[in-house]
Every structure is written in C-alpha cells, then in structure tokens.
Amino acid sequence: MQHADTNLVIRNPFGTMDVPGPDDSEVMDYAATATLAGDGADGNAGHWASIPTSFDPLESIWASRWNGGADPTIAGDTPETWKQGRAEIRVVGDRVYLRFDWDNGRRHGLIDAAREDAGRLVGKYINLTNPAITRPWVGRVVDAARIDGCFPNGRLDFRR
C-alpha cells in the first residue's frame, strides 16, 4: 500500500506504521530458542475467548491477551496481569499480520510474522501507541481457534 501524500510504502494491510525489521537478527536469535508445544498443558489451552470461529483458518476477528510487562498507562498493572483485547488477523502471501488492542481499545500493537512449516509464525511486534517498543515474537497456530505466542518477556496469545 502506498500513502498518497508521502509516497511511503506500507507493507501491512492495516495502513498503520510497519513493524521495523520483522526478520532481523534479533527476531531470528529469539526464534532459535523459543518453543511452544501447542499441547493441552500450554497456558493458552484453556478456552478464554468468546469470538466465534470463522471458515478461514486465520483471517478474521480474534481475541488477544498478553502478559510479561507492566503497561505504565494502566493504573496498578503488573507483568503477571493479562491485558486482553480484540485482534484482527490478515494474511498477505507468506506474511501474517496480527493487529490487536488492549486497555479497552486505547492501546494498539501490530505483529508482522513469516509463516514457517508446522504452523510456526516468526516475526516482530511493535507497540503502535509507543513505537519505541518492539520485541521479537514467535507463534504457533494450534488450530482454527488458537494461536499460542511468546516474546522474550512473556506471552502474547490469540483465541476465538
């Protein structure tokens, strides 16, 4: 997508700021050590979302949640507290874009990930509300209703 006023080319289908370096060495180094079993013992295995499953295995509306960091804009937040919100996933070629929010839609993030074998997603997250915050992210598409995800400080999961 090309922005008409600036000729800036935007990779993601949401028209927001792109994730910088979604395949850089920080991402690849983290992906080499991150593991997600995708089994029933995983913290994302229990059903916590109320978004209906759609026909497409990925593209649609999802629920999101993350922990592993305290959002200083949320009073009393702790790293262990789950920050929940809504998400939308779009697929463009071999890239998967996961745009999500939290704090009742006041904060937004975007993940740009490459799809690898066996449902593994490898990419990077940017906090669209505070773009100085980026983190490598690895996900596993467990099934049409569950994507387990992790970043160096915690979890960033999706359900429907």
Side-chain angles (χ1 to χ4, degrees):
M1 171 182 310
Q2 187 169 10
H3 192 278
D5 295 336
T6 64
N7 293 324
L8 177 69
V9 176
I10 297 175
R11 293 184 313 268
N12 77 77
F14 297 104
T16 64
M17 175 186 301
D18 278 322
V19 174
D23 300 318
D24 66 13
S25 62
E26 180 187 27
V27 170
M28 294 301 119
D29 290 347
Y30 179 67
T33 62
T35 59
L36 294 163
D39 59 17
D42 187 273
N44 195 34
H47 190 74
W48 54 268
S50 60
I51 306 293
T53 303
S54 71
F55 177 74
D56 187 288
L58 287 180
E59 285 196 335
S60 73
I61 302 300
W62 291 67
S64 65
R65 69 178 186 175
W66 68 273
N67 70 10
D71 185 331
T73 67
I74 301 172
D77 190 31
T78 66
E80 299 79 28
T81 303
W82 286 104
K83 278 63 82 176
Q84 294 193 28
R86 292 179 48 88
E88 182 176 355
I89 298 178
R90 294 187 189 173
V91 178
V92 179
D94 67 344
R95 305 301 296 187
V96 178
Y97 297 91
L98 306 96
R99 189 175 195 286
F100 60 98
D101 65 34
W102 67 97
D103 193 22
N104 296 307
R106 289 187 285 274
R107 308 285 179 259
H108 301 272
L110 177 66
I111 296 171
D112 178 344
R115 198 186 307 211
E116 295 184 346
D117 293 338
R120 186 169 147 112
L121 304 172
V122 174
K124 187 183 273 185
Y125 152 82
I126 186 170
N127 181 325
L128 295 170
T129 309
N130 182 358
I133 301 172
T134 63
R135 302 283 185 271
W137 179 84
V138 172
R140 174 177 300 280
V141 179
V142 176
D143 58 37
R146 176 177 156 199
I147 299 172
D148 297 349
C150 62
F151 64 102
N153 302 72
R155 295 294 301 249
L156 203 168
D157 298 323
F158 299 87
R159 292 284 290 186
R160 57 180 173 187

